[in-house]
Amino acid sequence: MGGRRSRTHVCRRCLPQALVHLCRTELLTTVGDSRLVPPVTIYRDNRRCTSSLPSCHVGSTTVPATSVSCSESPPLSEERNRIDGLVVEHPYDALVRSALHDEPLESFVLGCMALNVWSQFSMFHQDECRRRAEEIRTELIARLERAGHVRGYRRAHAILKTIDPGCANPAEAALLWLVRSICPFSVKTQAHIGVRGHHYYIDILIEDLHLIIEFDGVAKLGESRVELEQAKREWVLRDQNLRDAGWHVIRVSWPDYNDWEQLRIRLSRVLGPINPAPDCRFLWKLPTQRCDGPLRRFYSRNPRMGRKHADR
């Protein structure tokens, strides 16, 4: 990889070692969203090259094939990190670069997941976590401002302004992206509602409309028949309690993501004849196959953290 025109097939687990070897021989920095997720983009101030890595399987997860390409644009700042021997641009710069250049769905989901980790988000200590998240958001927007009003600036600003640390997984983040692209009202994630002695944490809550929007992932149903039946009973009770308290509950599941336009129309009808805020309009763009093809979908088999303790 990186040598003349020959191609070396490298397992994803060997990718860091392969890039480390290249780093030892010449100046190289991993940049952009590859600092956070594949595909891999590197920067060096001399020779340009493009290579590829084949698909591989790690446990039950399939990692799709990806490319290793050279960026003509240098990192956004002089700050560097070193991870597993790799020199990488600062993670905040990587997220800003993603917001500038990647598809809105991709960069919004990445931003939510990054903010969730960086803020050490916990639904039980939200004030402290969200305070950290806002400090990080301020720094992200400041880095965007220093990059100047380059191409993609308005979209990047809209993304960095609306990403939320309360999304527990990519599916919830994708749903929030869709809601924020059409809804001008205040939107909350992991909002607590107490009803009849039960404590519920809501995926997405729009208080002005008394509306709850939730993503139903496979992981929430459990992995056995007994767990499935129990989950169904809890779902029925949860929905009934919330509706009796005056909330309108909308549920979205994985099959809904097969048609983004139809799902957007469905949510728009629920929200009513309203216009999104001007900045939020920059969030919407129909995802391409490259962004949301069959190999890009992520399904988690782990139960959602805290859910079994929170919803009681």
Side-chain angles (χ1 to χ4, degrees), residues 1-191:
M1 181 177 62
R4 296 185 181 180
R5 296 185 62 83
S6 62
R7 174 183 298 180
T8 302
H9 294 291
V10 184
C11 173
R12 288 303 174 85
R13 291 183 174 181
C14 301
L15 176 59
Q17 289 82 357
L19 289 178
V20 167
H21 176 74
L22 192 55
C23 286
R24 290 173 178 171
T25 59
E26 55 186 295
L27 181 63
L28 179 151
T29 304
T30 306
V31 298
D33 58 352
S34 61
R35 163 64 178 82
L36 305 169
V37 295
V40 177
T41 305
I42 59 178
Y43 171 77
R44 51 187 175 188
D45 55 9
N46 46 29
R47 179 163 46 92
R48 302 279 184 261
C49 69
T50 299
S51 185
S52 63
L53 295 173
S55 175
C56 70
H57 301 278
V58 180
S60 61
T61 302
T62 299
V63 182
T66 191
S67 61
V68 181
S69 60
C70 289
S71 170
E72 297 181 358
S73 302
L76 297 179
S77 73
E78 297 298 325
E79 295 181 73
R80 300 288 184 273
N81 284 15
R82 185 176 290 273
I83 299 178
D84 294 332
L86 290 177
V87 177
V88 299
E89 70 178 338
H90 194 281
Y92 293 0
D93 289 341
L95 182 54
V96 171
R97 185 191 293 265
S98 175
L100 282 168
H101 303 298
D102 294 334
E103 295 189 35
L105 170 61
E106 189 172 26
S107 55
F108 187 93
V109 170
L110 177 63
C112 288
M113 295 297 93
L115 207 57
N116 179 281
V117 173
W118 293 339
S119 67
Q120 301 173 8
F121 187 83
S122 166
M123 65 177 66
F124 306 112
H125 304 91
Q126 293 199 38
D127 289 344
E128 179 183 352
C129 297
R130 290 189 183 278
R131 185 167 54 251
R132 285 196 295 265
E134 289 309 308
E135 292 173 354
I136 295 170
R137 188 193 313 278
T138 298
E139 175 61 23
L140 290 168
I141 293 177
R143 289 171 185 256
L144 175 63
E145 295 292 341
R146 289 197 292 270
H149 286 251
V150 295
R151 182 178 181 182
Y153 170 86
R154 298 177 72 179
R155 179 187 62 196
H157 190 275
I159 290 170
L160 297 178
K161 184 179 177 181
T162 53
I163 54 176
D164 192 297
C167 298
N169 53 60
E172 289 181 15
L175 181 57
L176 179 64
W177 163 73
L178 202 56
V179 171
R180 292 305 302 263
S181 74
I182 58 178
C183 181
F185 300 113
S186 174
V187 177
K188 298 180 181 179
T189 60
Q190 301 308 324

Side-chain angles (χ1 to χ4, degrees), residues 179-250:
V179 171
R180 292 305 302 263
S181 74
I182 58 178
C183 181
F185 300 113
S186 174
V187 177
K188 298 180 181 179
T189 60
Q190 301 308 324
H192 173 263
I193 296 180
V195 182
R196 296 174 178 172
H198 296 271
H199 299 275
Y200 302 123
Y201 285 86
I202 307 303
D203 291 345
I204 298 174
L205 182 143
I206 306 174
E207 198 162 7
D208 290 328
L209 301 178
H210 233 56
L211 177 65
I212 289 171
I213 305 176
E214 299 216 272
F215 177 79
D216 294 336
V218 176
K220 296 182 183 180
L221 296 177
E223 296 184 359
S224 68
R225 186 179 183 84
V226 174
E227 291 176 343
L228 177 61
E229 293 300 324
Q230 178 64 27
K232 286 182 177 180
R233 288 192 292 270
E234 290 176 354
W235 256 359
V236 171
L237 176 62
R238 174 189 173 98
D239 277 11
Q240 189 61 54
N241 285 338
L242 291 172
R243 290 191 171 101
D244 288 347
W247 295 96
H248 181 37
V249 182
I250 301 297

